[in-house]
Amino acid sequence: MVLKYILLGLLSEPASGYELKKTFNDSLNHFWAAELSQIYPTLKKMKSEKLIVSKRMRSVIGPDKKLYSRTKKGKEELLKWLSGKPLYGYYRFHYAAQAFFLSEKKDAKKALQFYCELREMFQTKLAELEQIEESLKGMEPGWLDVLPEESFYPYLTLRMGIHKMAGNIAWCDECIAHIERRVHKK
Amino acid sequence: MVLKYILLGLLSEPASGYELKKTFNDSLNHFWAAELSQIYPTLKKMKSEKLIVSKRMRSVIGPDKKLYSRTKKGKEELLKWLSGKPLYGYYRFHYAAQAFFLSEKKDAKKALQFYCELREMFQTKLAELEQIEESLKGMEPGWLDVLPEESFYPYLTLRMGIHKMAGNIAWCDECIAHIERRVHKK
DNA sequence: CTGAGCATGTAACCCGTTACATGATTTC
DNA sequence: GAAATCATGTAACGGGTTACATGCTCAG
């Protein structure tokens, strides 16, 4: 139930479900995602658990919205989660599954093509993240040290995405070199 | 339905559900996992789709087992999947969610501790992967070039895991340095 | 005779996705 | 009047996990 804790974390400022979804799109997207159809029921459940309260608000544009705020109990729950050990989980990489069985194709050139396509995908993702980083960066050299904490820690997770993608690209380059050497040896 | 294709890929040699589970434990574990309670129904469904056939086999030790083999249709299905573009998917990193909200703790030392623990986790995983790699490596310098294809491509996915972990560790080191600088500045 | 490993399965549940349903307001 | 954006929800389904159920054989 990680979504619950993420919503709790985002509700340091009151927000509606719809607004929370937008935050996902532009702040947490490189490591998490959630659809509205999941957010709404989760908020409902959190409210029944008294982790948050809601207030009906008139919206200037569009229909009324429900502004959710975190309760004291909610804040405690969040801190408890943050105090736990970092949790790793298990990951499923679809492209790795494909890469694992590449020998079935009996054609090293196809394998080479696969890794080149994969590299391009990673390169695109990396460029996206670097663009976000660029827009965040101040122009003075000490900008990072004066960033407020609420922006500093999220920035570090953006760096995670960048490191991951760089690692992926390095992997692809290595694989491409290995496969090419094999092709030429033959 | 990636599991279906993975099982299809593993069935280049006939095997039972129980044996396939063991393969997961020692060959694909760094990028995929599957429980027996998921493998058995999946095999059943694949059989009904005529992608595989089964044969009852007497086991020397323990009860009878069902040996599954891939059919021609199954092989075709597998090749079709392998010919598709590499699929990326979306990923959810629990520890990143925690890292995102570290400012809530109001204590940079706690944040530092979090990243140190995370780094240790990655280091442990990396060591595991490197040990597997060590046991795979031959002693002659050209060992990789003479590896048969069915071992070469899986080896490359092991390299993926190693690159990912190295990237994660580099990220942690960077974060730790940033946070320490902030603490000292204050 | 107990426990570990071999072997196969079902049931309940949880998380997340896609599709569907509804309706207001603003802009072109 | 159509399309885009704001706003909230429900229903069906899929993939995966945990727990449960059963039974064989071998080693200590």
Side-chain angles (χ1 to χ4, degrees):
Chain A
M1 295 227 37
V2 182
L3 180 60
K4 183 172 100 174
Y5 296 107
I6 294 180
L7 294 176
L8 233 29
L10 293 176
L11 286 173
S12 63
E13 305 279 298
S16 67
Y18 193 82
E19 287 162 351
L20 290 165
K21 166 62 179 160
K22 274 193 282 179
T23 308
F24 268 98
N25 288 346
D26 48 57
S27 293
L28 293 93
N29 205 245
H30 54 289
F31 68 83
W32 210 272
E35 298 302 320
L36 280 167
S37 58
Q38 197 191 357
I39 292 172
Y40 287 129
T42 304
L43 287 169
K44 205 176 185 179
K45 203 186 158 211
M46 288 162 70
K47 193 183 168 186
S48 80
E49 291 170 12
K50 307 239 192 290
L51 302 173
I52 53 176
V53 290
S54 71
K55 197 161 54 164
R56 176 153 260 103
M57 290 290 279
R58 225 141 302 197
S59 180
V60 200
I61 176 176
D64 284 6
K65 57 176 157 179
K66 285 189 189 170
L67 252 218
Y68 287 98
S69 323
R70 158 172 103 179
T71 62
K72 201 185 156 199
K73 192 183 170 197
K75 176 79 189 269
E76 282 164 14
E77 192 93 343
L78 174 64
L79 286 175
K80 210 158 65 182
W81 174 64
L82 287 172
S83 301
K85 288 221 175 304
L87 30 87
Y88 184 70
Y90 36 81
Y91 298 102
R92 290 173 161 84
F93 298 98
H94 295 204
Y95 54 85
Q98 290 170 303
F100 192 88
F101 295 113
L102 243 28
S103 67
E104 295 279 358
K105 292 225 218 178
K106 314 273 175 219
D107 184 352
K109 272 178 197 156
K110 290 269 176 68
L112 208 54
Q113 194 201 327
F114 180 87
Y115 272 105
C116 287
E117 280 176 19
L118 198 53
R119 192 191 188 284
E120 250 178 82
M121 270 181 31
F122 292 141
Q123 188 62 62
T124 305
K125 304 246 174 214
L126 177 61
E128 281 166 22
L129 295 176
E130 280 175 338
Q131 213 189 311
I132 298 172
E133 187 182 29
E134 212 52 47
S135 68
L136 247 63
K137 262 183 180 163
M139 53 233 75
E140 339 82 70
W143 68 278
L144 186 56
D145 299 315
V146 297
L147 252 193
E149 302 241 300
E150 313 86 62
S151 309
F152 171 69
Y153 290 108
Y155 170 70
L156 295 186
T157 66
L158 178 66
R159 292 294 304 165
M160 177 194 77
I162 290 173
H163 271 101
K164 277 184 190 296
M165 285 309 142
N168 286 337
I169 291 169
W171 168 56
C172 285
D173 286 337
E174 188 186 290
C175 293
I176 289 167
H178 282 325
I179 299 170
E180 274 178 345
R181 192 143 37 83
R182 281 192 153 237
V183 172
H184 292 148
K185 272 264 164 79
K186 246 198 316 186
Chain B
M1 297 228 33
V2 182
L3 180 61
K4 183 174 100 175
Y5 297 106
I6 293 180
L7 294 176
L8 232 29
L10 292 177
L11 286 174
S12 63
E13 304 279 298
S16 68
Y18 193 83
E19 287 162 350
L20 290 165
K21 166 63 179 160
K22 273 193 281 178
T23 307
F24 269 99
N25 288 346
D26 49 56
S27 295
L28 294 94
N29 205 244
H30 54 291
F31 69 85
W32 209 273
E35 298 301 321
L36 280 169
S37 58
Q38 197 190 357
I39 292 172
Y40 287 129
T42 303
L43 287 170
K44 204 176 185 178
K45 204 185 157 212
M46 288 163 69
K47 193 183 167 184
S48 80
E49 291 169 13
K50 308 236 192 290
L51 302 174
I52 53 176
V53 290
S54 70
K55 195 161 57 165
R56 176 154 260 103
M57 290 290 278
R58 226 142 300 199
S59 180
V60 198
I61 176 176
D64 283 7
K65 56 176 156 180
K66 285 189 189 170
L67 252 216
Y68 287 98
S69 323
R70 170 168 94 179
T71 62
K72 200 184 156 199
K73 192 183 169 196
K75 176 79 190 268
E76 282 164 13
E77 192 94 343
L78 174 64
L79 286 175
K80 210 157 65 182
W81 173 64
L82 286 174
S83 301
K85 288 220 175 304
L87 32 87
Y88 185 70
Y90 35 82
Y91 297 102
R92 290 174 161 83
F93 297 97
H94 294 203
Y95 54 85
Q98 290 170 303
F100 192 88
F101 296 112
L102 243 28
S103 68
E104 296 278 357
K105 291 226 217 179
K106 314 272 175 220
D107 184 352
K109 272 177 197 157
K110 291 270 176 66
L112 209 54
Q113 195 201 326
F114 179 87
Y115 273 105
C116 288
E117 280 176 17
L118 198 52
R119 192 191 188 284
E120 249 178 82
M121 268 181 30
F122 292 141
Q123 188 64 63
T124 305
K125 303 247 175 214
L126 177 61
E128 282 166 21
L129 295 176
E130 280 175 339
Q131 212 189 312
I132 297 172
E133 188 182 28
E134 211 52 46
S135 68
L136 247 62
K137 262 183 181 163
M139 52 234 76
E140 341 81 70
W143 67 279
L144 186 55
D145 299 313
V146 297
L147 251 193
E149 302 241 300
E150 313 87 62
S151 310
F152 172 69
Y153 290 108
Y155 170 69
L156 294 185
T157 67
L158 177 66
R159 292 294 305 163
M160 178 195 76
I162 290 173
H163 271 102
K164 277 184 191 293
M165 285 309 142
N168 287 337
I169 290 169
W171 167 56
C172 285
D173 286 338
E174 188 187 288
C175 293
I176 289 167
H178 283 324
I179 299 170
E180 274 178 344
R181 192 143 37 83
R182 283 190 150 237
V183 171
H184 293 148
K185 272 266 163 79
K186 246 200 314 186

